[in-house]
Amino acid sequence: MARFDFGPVRVLDQAGNVETTLPGFARDREALARHYRAMVLTRQFDTKAVALQRTGRLGTFASSLGQEAVSVGVASAMRDQDVFLPSFREHGGQLWRGVTLKELFLFWGGDERGNDFSGHRMDFPACIPVATQFPQAAGVALAMQAQGTGGVAVPVGGDGATSKGDFYEAMNIAGAWALPVVFVISNNQWAISVPLAAQTRAVAISDKAMAAGIPGGRVDGNDVIAVRAMMERALERARSGGGATLIEAVTYRLGDHTTADDSKRYRNEAEVSAHWKAEPLVRLRAHLVQEHGWTKEEEETLQRSCREDVETAAEAYLATGLQPPRAIIDHLFESVPEDLAQRFGEAGYE
Amino acid sequence: MNELTLVEAVRLALARALEDDPRVILLGEDIGVNGGVFRATDGLAARFGADRVRDTPLAETAIAGIAVGAAAHGLRPVAEIQFMGFLYPALDQLANHAARLRNRTRGRLSCPMVLRAPFGGGIHAPEHHSESFEAMLAHVPGLRVVVPSSPARAYGLLLAAIRDPDPVVFLEPKRLYRSVREEVADDGAALPLDRALILSAGDDVTLVTWGAMVQEAREAVERMATEGVLVDLIDLCSLKPIDRATIRRSVAKTGRCVVLHEAPLTAGLGAEIAADLAEHCLTDLLAPIRRVAPPDVVIPYPRLEDQYMPTAGQVVGAIREVMEFS
Ligand SMILES: Cc1ncc(C[n+]2csc(CCOP(=O)(O)OP(=O)(O)O)c2C)c(N)n1
Ligand SMILES: [Mg+2]
């Protein structure tokens, strides 16, 4: 029943050769270059964020190294009226949706203002409690259905998240009510130290869709073209009243779980280096070089411009002053309850 | 005028909210055709349609999560949890998301949702159907917790909860669902959400309670009146935020205070009220503050349930004690 696509489906092989037919958008050099830049920018951001954390200037950070294509491909298929509900590892998608680099730094630097972000104002901030974004996405979808906005809710979570009840409850309801949701699982094969084989006996995470009676698709998450193509189909299905879809994007977490983690404790280097061969940036660059004559100069210019953007944003973040002390009570409710204001004063904060 | 039970008043407020505001939707298990297990939504699906009065699959985490998502995206969801004992799976969404969304986005997104649940014992319901863990909810920053104790207050407070721009947990004392009647005008008027009500005025002792225990409190007040002791009876109405000013003002006048609740003693809201009075009214106090609350036990099965529930007699005893202290 209901296998949207099994595979994982991919368009480009690891060397960047076209394996199947290219979807329309992927024939356009500019479009491909935009996806490529988004992935490079994400990786540069990642590198800088880790460096800032290591030097005590950023909080604990979750790197998305190796998973950039999932995030970018998912977001690039979305439209303005859609709503993104990312986990904590979807920097690429957030950037694509208009969150600025400075806002991402602020969030990871421990400042709530990073979540009062530019771009798509109805998008959710990164979700920290694993899998809780899935039922919320069903709620957003219910609202959009009621309002007739034609929007689709897109929650993204990890492989570990699919062990939680929230994930099943949300998929089940989205199925029962034919809600416009595309559930995306960025399967990086690890949940901190727990490998996928210890997480579930399911052959494919996309098969978990069967329990909810919705289609599940499986895509090579290191192939941004394939990710976007499958997303577009699922989004179209949702938009035309066809209901929810589950997409499993198979990728690999090349870095530690977070800057507070040391993955050498539980996985060997050989496994990691093997996966470096399949990483998404090299693949798209090879394709650009082979099919579109992407030059060395273009590559250098792009890398430099991404680096400059990241450096400028990091400086702007580091130069951002603290919020005033009152900010801890000002945003809890629309208007501060008397009791809270009084207690704040009494406790000697002011 | 209209004499209604508490559950009818809840229904009237829900109907009024659905009528007045197209953004309002109801969600919950069996709330549609069946009208809810307590019939709080009886007839509403027929009147407002199954899209706005929605039967959900049986999934409390999802009910709460959907309410969060829908509220953030412009609806005004009012979700029902069938019994408070089944609210625990919804706590994650309430505490980690509903209560924080506005704060963590600096006001960009908000969560104007209501989670309703019948709570409390005294109706000899099966296991897990009689809990009262309101203090756990009141402990969560960013949540409002509201408890009505009469039909008119249920109507006015529920409308206020639905119109409030932030998340509210609305706990309905199910022992009172059908046991009291009161005139309720369907005038669409909301009550303030953070004000306690003084139900009877007296200079001798302050008695603070909420929900179904207002019944026991009233009985105790009457009995004390025959002994010439006049009680300031305060119905808290809002358990978060607490209207401390009203309680302090009363105790400044009476110098004595008894707090009554159905929830177990330790870390119950009585502790918060007593601590607040100790911090702010020490010099007014003429006697120790007394808490009338069950010991820290699981609420017994129906045959021993009466052993658990605080009685008017216990309240009378506590009041006499604080009166005799000095
Ligand atoms: C409900 C919950 N439990 C535990 C954690 C701590 N934690 C953070 S991420 C994580 C692993 C998540 O794995 P997965 O869903 O595969 O996402 P990934 O980190 O691989 O992107 C855990 C256990 C959490 N944030 N939320
Ligand atoms: Mg994972």
Side-chain angles (χ1 to χ4, degrees):
Chain A
M1 202 231 100
R3 273 187 167 152
F4 193 62
D5 258 326
F6 201 70
V9 174
R10 67 177 189 185
V11 176
L12 297 184
D13 68 14
Q14 284 182 22
N17 303 309
V18 179
E19 262 190 1
T20 50
T21 14
L22 278 177
F25 75 88
R27 299 203 178 108
D28 176 18
R29 190 183 201 266
E30 289 312 306
L32 284 183
R34 264 202 311 281
H35 285 77
Y36 181 58
R37 185 180 198 280
M39 295 199 293
V40 171
L41 185 67
T42 305
R43 189 163 293 183
Q44 301 259 7
F45 161 72
D46 223 286
T47 309
K48 183 70 186 180
V50 172
L52 287 173
Q53 192 281 333
R54 296 289 186 236
T55 50
R57 291 176 292 171
L58 199 82
T60 301
F61 175 73
S63 156
S64 70
L65 185 64
Q67 301 178 224
E68 297 89 347
V70 178
S71 211
V72 168
V74 164
S76 82
M78 292 171 66
R79 296 194 191 156
D80 285 349
Q81 72 268 35
D82 299 336
V83 174
F84 192 45
L85 297 97
S87 76
F88 43 79
R89 215 184 286 287
E90 301 305 324
H91 322 308
Q94 287 197 292
L95 288 170
W96 187 285
R97 298 275 296 166
V99 180
T100 66
L101 288 159
K102 179 187 166 193
E103 286 158 352
L104 284 187
F105 279 128
L106 275 172
F107 171 75
W108 291 99
D111 192 317
E112 291 90 346
R113 287 173 295 183
N115 286 334
D116 184 11
F117 50 61
S118 329
H120 292 83
R121 300 283 292 169
M122 300 311 282
D123 281 4
F124 275 50
C127 185
I128 305 296
V130 166
T132 52
Q133 70 271 39
F134 296 121
Q136 291 164 9
V140 169
L142 178 66
M144 293 194 293
Q145 201 180 53
Q147 295 153 350
T149 67
V152 181
V154 180
V156 185
D159 43 299
T162 69
S163 296
K164 274 196 76 191
D166 313 43
F167 171 68
Y168 291 96
E169 290 191 17
M171 269 202 309
N172 183 61
I173 292 192
W177 293 351
L179 292 176
V181 189
V182 179
F183 296 95
V184 179
I185 298 305
S186 184
N187 174 7
N188 64 10
Q189 310 191 44
W190 289 89
I192 307 188
S193 67
V194 178
L196 189 61
Q199 192 73 241
T200 178
R201 191 119 188 183
V203 175
I205 284 173
S206 55
D207 281 350
K208 296 189 176 194
M210 284 187 206
I214 64 171
R218 196 154 187 256
V219 68
D220 183 334
N222 290 350
D223 177 352
V224 72
I225 298 174
V227 172
R228 171 162 169 169
M230 189 179 280
M231 254 326 267
E232 277 181 349
R233 285 173 54 205
L235 286 165
E236 187 42 44
R237 203 176 156 268
R239 246 185 269 290
S240 59
T245 304
L246 169 65
I247 292 180
E248 172 194 3
V250 183
T251 178
Y252 189 82
R253 197 192 81 207
L254 290 171
D256 289 335
H257 169 68
T258 63
T259 49
D261 176 51
D262 173 11
S263 59
K264 289 189 191 68
R265 293 170 62 85
Y266 52 80
R267 69 177 184 184
N268 63 48
E269 287 299 302
E271 177 187 315
V272 181
S273 14
H275 278 283
W276 267 102
K277 294 192 185 73
E279 70 94 1
L281 272 62
V282 164
R283 191 184 305 197
L284 186 57
R285 182 165 59 239
H287 178 73
L288 276 168
V289 170
Q290 289 153 29
E291 299 294 320
H292 297 282
W294 184 255
T295 66
K296 219 172 149 227
E297 291 70 46
E298 281 178 297
E299 177 67 21
E300 276 164 13
T301 308
L302 183 142
Q303 293 282 354
R304 194 179 331 111
S305 113
C306 288
R307 204 157 33 238
E308 278 167 12
D309 286 359
V310 168
E311 287 301 329
T312 309
E315 275 163 33
Y317 148 66
L318 291 169
T320 304
L322 296 186
Q323 302 173 77
R326 253 199 79 97
I328 71 168
I329 67 166
D330 277 346
H331 305 280
L332 215 51
F333 300 94
E334 192 185 68
S335 45
V336 182
E338 225 176 274
D339 184 45
L340 183 56
Q342 231 173 50
R343 189 64 201 164
F344 183 74
E346 278 167 16
Y349 285 106
E350 257 175 349
Chain B
M1 264 236 277
N2 225 355
E3 287 246 311
L4 297 184
T5 62
L6 197 149
V7 73
E8 287 165 348
V10 165
R11 189 186 309 140
L12 195 66
L14 292 173
R16 165 64 72 154
L18 283 160
E19 185 76 52
D20 286 354
D21 187 347
R23 297 171 303 174
V24 172
I25 59 160
L26 311 189
L27 297 166
E29 295 160 10
D30 309 289
I31 69 161
V33 189
N34 195 37
V37 289
F38 286 101
R39 308 287 175 260
T41 54
D42 200 19
L44 298 183
R47 189 165 151 206
F48 297 99
D51 278 349
R52 294 188 68 201
V53 182
R54 251 178 204 262
D55 274 333
T56 64
L58 207 166
E60 282 75 13
T61 298
I63 290 172
I66 284 172
V68 171
H73 209 76
L75 297 188
R76 293 271 171 153
V78 182
E80 176 178 302
I81 298 293
Q82 221 158 50
F83 291 88
M84 192 186 205
F86 310 128
L87 191 147
Y88 294 107
L91 267 179
D92 186 16
Q93 289 288 340
L94 280 179
N96 277 327
H97 294 290
R100 294 174 179 231
L101 192 56
R102 181 189 291 281
N103 187 61
R104 68 195 292 264
T105 60
R106 301 286 90 165
R108 181 173 61 84
L109 296 175
S110 61
C111 196
M113 63 176 275
V114 177
L115 198 78
R116 299 176 37 242
F119 88 119
I123 63 163
H124 299 281
E127 198 177 7
H128 300 287
H129 288 67
S130 301
E131 344 296 301
S132 45
F133 54 87
E134 64 269 26
M136 280 174 69
L137 295 161
H139 194 68
V140 178
L143 281 188
R144 286 177 178 278
V145 182
V146 175
V147 177
S149 67
S150 83
R153 285 192 284 286
Y155 178 85
L157 289 170
L158 182 51
L159 280 180
I162 296 171
R163 290 172 194 164
D164 191 79
D166 290 298
V168 181
V169 180
F170 191 81
L171 300 173
E172 299 165 8
K174 61 179 172 295
R175 180 157 66 94
L176 303 190
Y177 263 157
R178 295 189 167 73
S179 64
V180 291
R181 281 184 178 276
E182 187 177 40
E183 278 187 4
V184 181
D186 187 14
D187 54 8
L191 286 167
L193 267 194
D194 42 17
R195 287 278 167 272
L197 282 176
I198 299 183
L199 299 185
S200 73
D203 287 343
D204 300 322
V205 58
T206 302
L207 174 57
V208 184
T209 193
W210 52 91
M213 280 296 132
V214 165
Q215 299 298 307
E216 280 66 22
R218 279 189 184 284
E219 192 186 325
V221 169
E222 277 167 33
R223 281 164 63 180
M224 292 316 297
T226 64
E227 298 177 20
V229 174
L230 298 181
V231 181
D232 232 19
L233 173 57
I234 296 178
D235 174 3
L236 211 50
C237 299
S238 168
L239 310 190
K240 183 73 169 291
I242 292 175
D243 180 2
R244 300 172 198 271
T246 295
I247 302 173
R248 291 177 197 164
R249 218 177 299 119
S250 170
V251 172
K253 174 179 72 171
T254 63
R256 300 167 211 272
C257 184
V258 173
V259 188
L260 162 65
H261 57 70
E262 186 183 319
L265 184 76
T266 302
L269 280 171
E272 176 60 33
I273 292 166
D276 187 73
L277 292 173
E279 278 186 333
H280 293 272
C281 303
L282 191 63
T283 53
D284 296 316
L285 287 170
L286 303 171
I289 298 158
R290 275 293 317 269
R291 288 175 289 166
V292 178
D296 298 332
V297 299
V298 172
I299 185 164
Y301 281 19
R303 293 177 72 183
L304 279 182
E305 191 176 343
D306 293 346
Q307 292 299 308
Y308 174 93
M309 301 293 286
T311 63
Q314 287 171 326
V315 181
V316 165
I319 293 177
R320 282 190 190 133
E321 245 179 70
V322 298
M323 290 307 298
E324 284 158 14
F325 184 81
S326 65

